[in-house]
Amino acid sequence: MSTAMLKEQVQAVLEREPALLPSAVAAELQVSEAQVVFALPKAMAVRVDGSFCEQLLTELAGWGPVTTIVHSCASIFEVKAPFPKGKNARGYYNLMGREGQLHGHLRIDLVTDIALVSKPFMGSESHYLGFFTEQGESIFKVYLGRDEKRQLFPEQLEKFAQLKTQYGE
């Protein structure tokens, strides 16, 4: 399927059901989630080369509370905490979270594309960084955090907008 045709199909699905997540659109169109994300209008999604993965993860560690989401076998795991610092060792980017934070070992060499996505979710403004494999599969997503009143943190919005400007050129 051509890129132009996919963009048209994604737009048609979102016009019909604007609340659908890219993963649901991908399932409906039988394409990868990354293909859907990168078929969104440029105002909604900016593509970043995966070679910037470590740089972005390092930056995220200073943003404060965020929501990290991992989809696995139709299940969704969420961690609401500051994204942890990490370091490379033994072929992995090792997340060194404190108690209550995310821990893990990432194969950032498998991240070929990163998406900076701005798409409403459940009627609320929403922004996330999505990390994708060469096959277009989502490895994980990091959503901007919210305060106790469910409002996005203004400083994170500003940093996210800067990233979109920096990489969207």
Side-chain angles (χ1 to χ4, degrees), residues 109-143:
D109 60 312
L110 299 178
V111 176
T112 57
D113 295 285
I114 302 163
L116 306 173
V117 181
S118 298
K119 184 180 180 315
F121 179 66
M122 298 181 77
S124 296
E125 178 182 6
S126 183
H127 307 275
Y128 70 88
L129 290 86
F131 297 81
F132 295 96
T133 67
E134 185 175 11
Q135 295 74 31
E137 298 169 339
S138 172
I139 302 170
F140 66 101
K141 298 175 181 90
V142 179
Y143 281 80

Side-chain angles (χ1 to χ4, degrees), residues 20 26 35 37 51 79 89 105 110 122 126 133 137 139 145 156 167:
L20 280 183
Q35 285 176 289
V37 166
S51 63
V79 176
H105 313 280
L110 299 178
M122 298 181 77
S126 183
T133 67
E137 298 169 339
I139 302 170
Q156 288 183 11
Y167 291 103

Side-chain angles (χ1 to χ4, degrees), residues 141-158:
K141 298 175 181 90
V142 179
Y143 281 80
L144 301 191
R146 296 181 183 275
D147 64 20
E148 62 282 343
K149 294 179 182 174
R150 305 283 309 136
Q151 299 299 307
L152 293 167
F153 293 113
E155 56 280 356
Q156 288 183 11
L157 279 169
E158 185 177 312

Side-chain angles (χ1 to χ4, degrees), residues 25-93:
V25 176
E28 182 175 327
L29 298 177
Q30 298 183 335
V31 296
S32 74
E33 185 175 350
Q35 285 176 289
V36 169
V37 166
F38 297 123
L40 293 170
K42 189 170 181 167
M44 292 178 79
V46 170
R47 186 180 215 143
V48 179
D49 188 271
S51 63
F52 292 99
C53 185
E54 185 173 353
Q55 179 180 326
L56 288 172
L57 294 177
T58 299
E59 189 168 327
L60 272 173
W63 284 25
V66 294
T67 300
T68 303
I69 295 180
V70 178
H71 296 250
S72 178
C73 298
S75 297
I76 301 170
F77 298 90
E78 295 184 16
V79 176
K80 293 182 180 187
F83 197 84
K85 291 181 180 180
K87 68 176 182 177
N88 278 307
R90 299 189 177 117
Y92 289 91
Y93 184 77

